[in-house]
Amino acid sequence: MVAHAADFAAWTHRQKIQITQPGLTRLELEPALLDKCTALHDLRLVSPSGVETAFTLLMPETSVQSLKDTINFKQTLVGQTTRLEFQIADSKLSHEVQLETSARQFIKAADLEGSVDGVNWQSLAKGELLFRQNGAEKLGFSLEPSDRTYFRITVDDARSEPIVFNAAKVPFETARPPTLPMAVTIRGRSDAGGMSKLTLDLGAANLMLGTLKLRTAEPVFQRRVSVLGASRVLFRLQYEGHSAEELEIPLHSLAGNREVELLIQNGDSPPLVVDGIECTRHALPMLFQANAVGEWHLFAGNGQASAPQYDIAALSGQLRGAAANSAMAAAVEVNPSYSKVATAPDVGNAGSALDVSAWGCRRAIEFKESGVLKVELPPEVMTQAARDLHDLRVLREGKQLPYLVVQDGTQKAVEVSLEDNPDEKHRSWSKWAIKLPHAGFPLEELELESATPLFEREMRVFETRQTERGSSEVSLGSATWQQRPGQKATKFRIALYEKPKGDLIYLTTDNGDNAPLVISAARVTHAVVSLLFRVSDAAPVQLYYRHAKASYPRYDVQMVRREFESATKVVATLGAEEQLDGFKGTPVASKQGGPWLWAALALVVMGLLWVVARMLPNTPRSEG
């Protein structure tokens, strides 16, 4: 079947491939191309005649390791040393030897010797540390391929009691896949709670990583390090003039994102100083049958693409070692046929008509191109709309456009000022008034900073509200804030379990007999909420809101939420607010009743009292 350019309009990028001879062809996929993929399964290969061509990706074979016993293992005590002797079948097939012991805590220096005939010995390693301590261990020696099959290890017992070694085993691997060096940049770091988090920029997404190694000048340390699901205790040890280290983590896994997070567990130790990161990656070849010479096209970058089902994928094992022609690729370029409209499913141009006479507010949605529009709701809209946003409507030419509400967990912060508001009744208390950007601000957290080196305070946030019985304090949130000397000052957050109704809130704390707490900065945060909807042309679109009695919308677009969220977005903005005829008739939903509700409740109570009075027996009058 011939594929036209329009059939690949949903792919963002392409790469031209020059085929000079037909036949089985191998193409090494570059990081620049992999970075444009939303996932590896969105790759598509098209021949010069426009035919989509089957291919397979040769994923690196992870080495299969098995431990095999050595031959004639023997342990003897010689003076203040333990001598271990053994043979292996073929040293060319192994790269190390591992000792086994049930001893829990020990550290010893050891020498390794090798021999071809068991008579003439050659030193292979001297003063290597063997140890097991606090979850970290090193019980092996590296081996270079050679003709030696006899080995001898001499363990120094001069400073500690001898331990029993149960066996010596050799790991045999079917393959050790080759790797390529790659640059890694540390983009960010945070140290808190005994944990260091490093954000690593790999330079591209969808890379098959091989190994990751820390660079550090720390002379002695031991830390558990985790990244991409792999975890290992890394260490550097000094003992009696000998040293040992393990700074590398084997990964052999796909990093789907450009950035990954590396975690270092410091415990009660100071954060580990990391000078840099060394990383390797596996090559990722594409194998396909080229039936014609000329310019081929490789497309990438379509979040809607499903995984292709090609027969050749089942033959990748047999084809891995097959002779193949090499293809040359040009630089990755933007797909000239790309269209943002094509990146999301067609859900129709508009839904049903809607009478908007009861809605109170409207804003124009401004955009410069068609496609899947993403418009962020400012706090003012979320304040005016119903609390669960069920009264939002997106309209074009009087008809509804189906939309999705998306919230990815991110927040935005707004700087606010703190004004001292002393409490005359509580001299030891500090109290601040905080003016919010506007009434009903959708406050999620209050973020504070202080340079005070040592303190512990219970911080409370509240609002004063007026009721028919007078004013009352309504608690919005509270949390304990601690700071110790030498500890890096961090931003402190108080999560609010109720949102304010007005534009003024208060922060208070009891200082006890300590100096008043000094707060250097304050911010209020709100959740980032956006709408997603699709437009196929430039006709004007409006957002309607503020109608607490509106029914809940039911859109079929919920069925394709995943496709919409992964589509390429066109950023849209909101215009100025217009107040409509329904503004006064559609107040924002409130949990407090109006005066008529209170009057009705008063009548009910009076009626109940009258009924109770009628049911009580009459008290007889006393005779004088």
Side-chain angles (χ1 to χ4, degrees):
M1 182 180 69
V2 176
H4 300 283
D7 296 326
F8 296 97
W11 275 259
T12 59
H13 291 78
R14 75 175 185 183
Q15 190 174 34
K16 297 177 182 178
I17 312 298
Q18 196 64 38
I19 302 297
T20 58
Q21 53 183 323
L24 190 64
T25 303
R26 179 188 179 102
L27 173 67
E28 300 284 349
L29 300 184
E30 303 171 2
L33 176 73
L34 297 172
D35 189 46
K36 303 305 179 184
C37 297
T38 54
L40 292 180
H41 66 248
D42 73 1
L43 291 169
R44 294 295 185 271
L45 181 64
V46 179
S47 71
S49 59
V51 176
E52 182 178 336
T53 301
F55 63 86
T56 183
L57 298 181
L58 300 181
M59 307 301 285
E61 290 183 306
T62 56
S63 57
V64 178
Q65 179 173 286
S66 60
L67 289 174
K68 294 188 177 182
D69 290 322
T70 56
I71 305 170
N72 301 326
F73 178 79
K74 182 173 63 174
Q75 173 173 312
T76 56
L77 294 177
V78 181
Q80 290 185 315
T81 63
T82 297
R83 179 171 293 172
L84 309 175
E85 297 180 87
F86 53 90
Q87 294 174 259
I88 62 176
D90 188 350
S91 64
K92 294 180 180 180
L93 298 180
S94 179
H95 66 281
E96 65 177 317
V97 59
Q98 289 283 342
L99 298 177
E100 289 188 353
T101 178
S102 58
R104 295 185 177 181
Q105 295 279 342
F106 66 90
I107 178 169
K108 293 177 177 292
D111 302 332
L112 173 67
E113 298 172 281
S115 174
V116 176
D117 53 12
V119 177
N120 301 302
W121 295 92
Q122 182 180 1
S123 176
L124 302 178
K126 203 166 186 65
E128 291 279 337
L129 289 183
L130 303 177
F131 71 93
R132 177 179 286 156
Q133 289 187 338
N134 304 321
E137 66 178 31
K138 179 180 178 296
L139 297 175
F141 292 86
S142 298
L143 299 178
E144 294 293 336
S146 70
D147 295 328
R148 306 181 191 92
T149 58
Y150 294 86
F151 293 91
R152 185 166 66 190
I153 298 175
T154 303
V155 183
D156 185 1
D157 298 323
R159 292 171 177 81
S160 59
E161 292 294 324
I163 62 174
V164 176
F165 291 93
N166 305 317
K169 295 193 174 184
V170 181
F172 283 86
E173 293 183 331
T174 57
R176 300 193 75 184
T179 56
L180 303 169
M182 55 174 284
V184 174
T185 304
I186 301 176
R187 289 295 183 197
R189 173 170 182 157
S190 64
D191 300 295
M195 180 83 71
S196 295
K197 296 182 181 180
L198 278 68
T199 302
L200 308 182
D201 187 346
L202 306 177
N206 300 301
L207 299 180
M208 287 295 304
L209 300 185
T211 59
L212 184 144
K213 184 177 181 180
L214 297 187
R215 288 204 313 266
T216 176
E218 295 279 359
V220 177
F221 71 91
Q222 178 181 314
R223 302 285 195 280
R224 179 166 290 280
V225 179
S226 305
V227 60
L228 286 177
S231 180
R232 173 170 284 196
V233 175
L234 303 185
F235 59 85
R236 179 175 285 143
L237 184 66
Q238 305 285 342
Y239 177 74
E240 299 292 342
H242 304 291
S243 63
E245 66 179 30
E246 178 59 75
L247 304 177
E248 187 174 271
I249 304 177
L251 299 175
H252 308 298
S253 57
L254 177 68
N257 298 320
R258 182 190 182 101
E259 291 187 347
V260 298
E261 192 173 74
L262 183 142
L263 304 178
I264 304 175
Q265 297 180 17
N266 298 304
D268 294 327
S269 302
L272 183 68
V273 177
V274 179
D275 302 319
I277 300 290
E278 297 177 8
C279 196
T280 64
R281 66 177 178 88
H282 294 286
L284 189 57
M286 170 183 283
L287 204 65
F288 60 96
Q289 187 70 30
N291 57 7
V293 298
E295 185 179 271
W296 291 55
H297 289 158
L298 180 57
F299 291 93
N302 179 6
Q304 312 301 324
S306 57
Q309 303 295 322
Y310 297 140
D311 293 339
I312 192 174
L315 303 175
S316 59
Q318 296 90 317
L319 296 174
R320 185 176 296 274
N325 302 322
S326 295
M328 299 296 293
V332 179
E333 63 182 8
V334 174
N335 178 13
S337 302
Y338 171 69
S339 168
K340 291 182 180 179
V341 178
T343 64
D346 188 356
V347 294
N349 289 331
S352 60
L354 180 69
D355 179 5
V356 296
S357 58
W359 265 261
C361 297
R362 177 178 65 191
R363 289 177 184 246
I365 299 178
E366 301 169 350
F367 57 97
K368 295 182 178 180
E369 55 183 315
S370 56
V372 176
L373 303 191
K374 181 176 183 179
V375 56
E376 183 179 316
L377 300 179
E380 309 89 82
V381 171
M382 290 189 284
T383 300
Q384 294 278 6
R387 291 194 177 184
D388 59 0
L389 305 179
H390 75 268
D391 61 340
L392 299 181
R393 295 295 187 273
V394 179
L395 268 73
R396 182 174 57 177
E397 298 176 347
K399 293 185 177 180
Q400 300 183 61
L401 292 180
Y403 66 85
L404 294 169
V405 177
V406 293
Q407 188 171 345
D408 60 6
T410 59
Q411 293 184 335
K412 281 191 173 181
V414 179
E415 294 280 347
V416 292
S417 59
L418 295 177
E419 182 179 340
D420 286 329
N421 192 275
D423 190 336
E424 298 298 332
K425 295 181 180 180
H426 302 90
R427 298 286 185 176
S428 66
W429 289 65
S430 291
K431 182 180 177 183
W432 300 270
I434 302 174
K435 185 74 171 178
L436 299 178
H438 56 77
F441 185 83
L443 179 58
E444 296 279 340
E445 290 181 338
L446 176 62
E447 186 179 276
L448 306 172
E449 292 183 29
S450 175
T452 305
L454 174 65
F455 65 88
E456 180 178 11
R457 299 287 191 277
E458 179 69 21
M459 312 298 296
R460 176 173 173 260
V461 183
F462 67 91
E463 180 181 31
T464 300
R465 295 179 184 172
Q466 296 295 326
T467 65
E468 293 189 358
R469 297 183 178 181
S471 63
S472 63
E473 291 184 0
V474 178
S475 183
L476 305 179
S478 62
T480 301
W481 190 3
Q482 291 182 339
Q483 182 72 32
R484 296 176 180 272
Q487 177 184 344
K488 182 180 179 181
T490 57
K491 297 175 183 177
F492 177 71
R493 295 177 175 87
I494 304 176
L496 271 63
Y497 39 76
E498 182 172 344
K499 291 180 173 58
K501 294 183 180 297
D503 61 354
L504 188 65
I505 61 175
Y506 296 91
L507 173 68
T508 186
T509 187
D510 186 356
N511 297 300
D513 295 322
N514 304 291
L517 179 64
V518 177
I519 298 178
S520 56
R523 286 170 286 274
V524 290
T525 66
H526 65 88
V528 175
V529 181
S530 302
L531 301 185
L532 291 184
F533 55 95
R534 183 179 185 272
V535 295
S536 56
D537 54 49
V541 181
Q542 298 86 29
L543 172 67
Y544 286 80
Y545 54 97
R546 193 181 169 92
H547 183 9
K549 296 181 180 180
S551 60
Y552 281 77
R554 294 178 296 172
Y555 297 133
D556 295 334
V557 71
Q558 294 288 347
M559 299 170 59
V560 288
R561 172 178 283 271
R562 185 189 68 82
E563 290 84 349
F564 258 74
E565 291 181 345
S566 60
T568 304
K569 314 297 190 303
V570 175
V571 178
T573 57
L574 292 177
E577 180 178 276
E578 302 176 61
Q579 293 186 2
L580 306 178
D581 294 339
F583 183 81
K584 295 182 180 180
T586 57
V588 177
S590 172
K591 291 185 179 180
Q592 298 179 358
W596 291 108
L597 175 60
W598 289 108
L601 289 175
L603 289 174
V604 171
V605 172
M606 292 175 61
L608 289 174
L609 292 175
W610 181 82
V611 172
V612 172
R614 296 282 294 177
M615 294 177 63
L616 293 175
N618 294 327
T619 304
R621 298 181 180 179
S622 60
E623 297 181 1

